[in-house]
Amino acid sequence: MTNVDQVTFIKRKRLISIHKPYHTYYWSCPDLFFSSLIMSSAGAVHMIHQNLPNMAFNAAKSSNARTSRFSRPLLANSRTSLSTALCRRQIELQHLSQPSRCLSSSSAPEPTAIRHQRPIYVAATKQHVGKTSVSLALVSHFTKRFGPENVGYMKAVGQQCLRVWEEPDINDDAVSHGESFREKGHYIIIDKDVKLIRDHFRLYHLKYADMSPVLIPRGYTKSYLDGKIDHQSQMADIRRAYLNIVRSTTHYDRRGGKNRNSVTICEGTGHAGVGSVVGAGNARVAAELGADVVLVANGGLGKAFDELELNRSLCLQYGVNIAGVVINKVQPDKYEQTRTYLAKAIQSMWRGPNGEPAPPILGVVPDRPYLGCPALADVESTFDSVLLSGSDHRYRHYDVGSNVQGRSIGMSMVTTDLAAFLRTLQRQHEGARTLFICHSSRDDVILGFLGEYRRRVRRGMPFQSALVICTGGDDGLGDIQEEELSPEVCEMIMDAGPAGPPILVAAGHSPAEAAKLIRTMTPKFNANDERRVSRATEHYEPYIDFDLLLERTSSVTEVGRVEGAIA
């Protein structure tokens, strides 16, 4: 066996034996990948990551390229399909990257252990169980542990979108030719959680487009099923985005050595099957990226395990490894019980067929009511409205679960006369926060609310209550009747300005409907709500075993001298 054949055989054997989800793919065209191994004059093997697709294509079609009967049919395909296939191979290469140079047998050092970190995919058993909260904790810990420049984040498939400004690359050709840096940027639509993570943790080395490669807005599913969206192109976009993130978090020292402390967090959307209708379910995307999954479930015992089992089945179908489980929103008085018995259930039910150990519980996070308290920005979003006054307090939070008439906190519908309402306001202590709800016909209540605010301002006392004005009402026959807010009262409200008391209009809703919607809403993180993001991060981090997570999502390879491989 020649020197080149020995190196090729070693590489091929390692790839096929370790990465089971893709073993059929490797057997179908093994030589295409290894044709990209270029032997230098000194005999060193260099792996060119950045130019792998083009380099392999050119090498495969050259007269010196060695191709097997398995790989020849693929060479007849287009350059695009070949590059897409090699893009997937490059993902595998990132997980099994070798040292940047091979030493001769005479100068080879003793074998050294190198850690290969796989991406961590955060999925959940259903919607609204805390994927973003767990992702925040992971990114926060790893940025402090490895440095922000070594941490990647992406949400491969997003649903809730917003528009942001994408700056051009510093080495953009147009910029280097003297054009304005600002003019070469452009607006881009991304998932809202991507902006939250990138801005909060200052991951400015990552591009928005790579962090949010695929979005599913309204009408996307129909377009996909009608054949207007190509599945292969969609998955290629995800793989390409991931590779760009890996490159952005890969750094080299002066000797060309690669850093081994980079990690990429991939946040899913909903449960493991969400996105399957367009061929981009969480389990499938995790398999494409070669990622290990962290499953997040709400606290409980029977129901929590049932939901975990359903999602585990889909992961097993795609050959995805489950790194561990995080149990979220656990009642504090049942914390130890939940941890003990869920661990027993997982260890007894999830063992491998050959006795392999079950995935561990990586964390049990107790519930913290504050994180479930909506901000006024959430109320605005619920009613598709904006604050008429008090916009400076958009991210003030309210404990709407404490819905008791006359309480100094919580939410209260005003059904009393003006005198009783004013007594309620004046009895509140200085730090009280109550979200009041009234109908637009109650001009007296609205003016009384404004009057109490001005009275407290004159006395130098804080005023933190808010008012939701509803214009809809049930006529008793099931029909909603609209009663617009009078222009005069509306003008008085707006005169209070951004620093005034928070007041907004819930058009088309009765007070009872508005109260139900507010009480049952699920507050979401907002990039501008620094207080909630910081509180969530501080709350989750102490309860997650990050060392165990890294151990479960990485492999250690001993790299040393290969006998006779290179003279």
Side-chain angles (χ1 to χ4, degrees):
M1 184 180 292
T2 65
N3 292 340
V4 175
D5 288 337
Q6 287 179 337
V7 175
T8 301
F9 174 76
I10 293 170
K11 299 275 189 178
R12 182 188 302 168
K13 181 178 180 182
R14 183 173 296 146
L15 282 168
I16 293 175
S17 62
I18 293 179
H19 290 272
K20 295 181 181 179
Y22 298 119
H23 67 276
T24 56
Y25 178 80
Y26 287 129
W27 278 117
S28 65
C29 50
D31 291 321
L32 285 180
F33 177 72
F34 298 105
S35 63
S36 61
L37 289 174
I38 307 300
M39 304 301 296
S40 70
S41 58
V45 179
H46 294 275
M47 188 63 65
I48 312 298
H49 296 284
Q50 289 76 6
N51 298 318
L52 181 59
N54 291 333
M55 183 178 67
F57 182 85
N58 295 330
K61 72 178 183 179
S62 67
S63 58
N64 294 327
R66 299 182 300 107
T67 59
S68 69
R69 61 185 179 87
F70 298 104
S71 60
R72 288 193 190 102
L74 285 183
L75 292 179
N77 295 337
S78 65
R79 183 187 183 99
T80 302
S81 61
L82 179 58
S83 297
T84 300
L86 289 172
C87 188
R88 178 187 292 180
R89 291 196 178 234
Q90 194 174 359
I91 291 176
E92 300 295 340
L93 179 63
Q94 302 296 343
H95 306 162
L96 291 171
S97 56
Q98 300 298 314
S100 59
R101 57 193 179 92
C102 296
L103 302 177
S104 64
S105 58
S106 60
S107 59
E110 292 297 322
T112 58
I114 294 181
R115 185 176 68 88
H116 308 290
Q117 177 65 52
R118 297 182 293 276
I120 301 171
Y121 199 102
V122 181
T125 56
K126 60 182 180 180
Q127 196 176 20
H128 308 317
V129 300
K131 290 186 306 299
T132 304
S133 298
V134 172
S135 297
L136 282 169
L138 296 183
V139 176
S140 174
H141 175 83
F142 292 134
T143 52
K144 289 182 285 190
R145 184 168 182 164
F146 301 137
E149 69 281 359
N150 295 317
V151 176
Y153 170 88
M154 72 180 299
K155 191 162 186 177
V157 180
Q159 291 179 303
Q160 299 185 21
C161 315
L162 54 82
R163 191 173 78 148
V164 298
W165 180 262
E166 179 84 284
E167 296 287 1
D169 291 329
I170 297 177
N171 59 353
D172 188 286
D173 291 337
V175 176
S176 63
H177 283 84
E179 295 187 30
S180 169
F181 184 84
R182 180 72 179 178
E183 290 176 357
K184 293 308 298 179
H186 59 279
Y187 283 103
I188 184 174
I189 306 298
I190 62 169
D191 186 87
K192 64 179 185 62
D193 289 333
V194 166
K195 179 172 174 57
L196 165 69
I197 297 287
R198 185 179 185 270
D199 290 0
H200 185 77
F201 296 105
R202 304 180 185 278
L203 305 181
Y204 300 137
H205 57 291
L206 305 178
K207 303 286 288 184
Y208 280 127
D210 296 329
M211 300 174 75
S212 184
V214 174
L215 294 171
I216 306 181
R218 187 181 301 274
Y220 187 93
T221 301
K222 293 180 181 178
S223 297
Y224 180 88
L225 297 176
D226 287 337
K228 298 177 182 178
I229 298 173
D230 180 63
H231 172 71
Q232 295 300 330
S233 297
Q234 176 183 258
M235 300 310 294
D237 287 342
I238 294 175
R239 291 191 293 267
R240 190 178 303 109
Y242 170 70
L243 288 174
N244 289 338
I245 289 177
V246 171
R247 293 189 189 102
S248 298
T249 56
T250 300
H251 309 285
Y252 297 87
D253 58 28
R254 295 179 179 178
R255 296 177 296 176
K258 178 181 173 183
N259 70 308
R260 301 291 172 180
N261 291 324
S262 61
V263 61
T264 298
I265 308 300
C266 306
E267 183 180 346
T269 302
H271 57 74
V274 169
S276 296
V277 70
V278 295
N282 287 300
R284 184 168 188 171
V285 172
E288 288 285 341
L289 300 180
D292 292 346
V293 167
V294 173
L295 280 177
V296 183
N298 271 344
L301 191 54
K303 184 179 180 181
F305 183 79
D306 293 345
E307 292 173 346
L308 285 167
E309 180 65 24
L310 283 173
N311 286 268
R312 171 177 174 262
S313 300
L314 200 55
C315 291
L316 291 177
Q317 177 182 334
Y318 285 97
V320 176
N321 177 55
I322 299 177
V325 173
V326 174
I327 308 301
N328 191 25
K329 301 178 184 178
V330 177
Q331 297 181 24
D333 59 332
K334 296 183 178 180
Y335 184 87
E336 291 300 330
Q337 171 186 302
T338 300
R339 173 184 281 277
T340 300
Y341 285 98
L342 265 182
K344 287 183 177 180
I346 292 174
Q347 291 301 320
S348 62
M349 305 290 186
W350 286 12
R351 284 188 177 276
N354 299 319
E356 297 89 349
I361 292 182
L362 297 171
V364 178
V365 184
D367 189 25
R368 182 172 184 178
Y370 168 79
L371 298 177
C373 294
L376 291 173
D378 298 309
V379 180
E380 285 182 311
S381 178
T382 298
F383 297 114
D384 193 19
S385 180
V386 294
L387 289 164
L388 297 178
S389 65
S391 58
D392 289 350
H393 314 299
R394 179 168 281 115
Y395 300 106
R396 181 181 289 169
H397 295 255
Y398 290 82
D399 183 9
V400 297
S402 304
N403 186 24
V404 180
Q405 186 73 23
R407 288 280 299 274
S408 62
I409 60 173
M411 181 173 59
S412 177
M413 286 193 296
V414 182
T415 57
T416 61
D417 59 15
L418 176 59
F421 174 63
L422 290 176
R423 284 196 295 271
T424 299
L425 281 176
Q426 292 170 4
R427 281 201 299 264
Q428 290 184 325
H429 59 81
E430 293 185 359
R433 286 188 183 181
T434 304
L435 187 62
F436 291 102
I437 303 174
C438 75
H439 192 261
S440 56
S441 61
R442 295 298 304 271
D443 290 345
D444 56 337
V445 170
I446 298 171
L447 296 178
F449 185 83
L450 288 170
E452 176 62 17
Y453 162 74
R454 293 191 176 96
R455 186 184 73 87
R456 292 207 178 196
V457 169
R458 287 195 302 269
R459 299 188 179 188
M461 301 167 60
F463 185 83
Q464 299 191 41
S465 292
L467 180 64
V468 176
I469 303 172
C470 301
T471 63
D474 193 339
D475 62 359
L477 300 176
D479 295 328
I480 301 296
Q481 294 182 338
E482 286 282 334
E483 186 169 343
E484 297 292 337
L485 187 64
S486 66
E488 294 80 11
V489 174
C490 185
E491 185 177 353
M492 293 183 68
I493 295 173
M494 296 178 69
D495 284 344
I503 301 176
L504 64 84
V505 174
H509 297 279
S510 67
E513 290 173 340
K516 182 178 180 180
L517 286 172
I518 294 172
R519 193 180 306 116
T520 57
M521 75 167 64
T522 301
K524 290 295 184 179
F525 288 106
N526 189 294
N528 297 315
D529 193 351
E530 290 287 340
R531 182 180 177 87
R532 176 185 281 169
V533 174
S534 298
R535 289 284 187 88
T537 302
E538 294 167 0
H539 178 63
Y540 276 75
E541 276 194 76
Y543 295 99
I544 298 177
D545 191 337
F546 298 99
D547 291 334
L548 179 58
L549 174 60
L550 289 176
E551 179 184 331
R552 294 278 302 173
T553 58
S554 61
S555 57
V556 177
T557 302
E558 284 194 355
V559 178
R561 178 166 55 90
V562 179
E563 290 292 342
I566 299 175

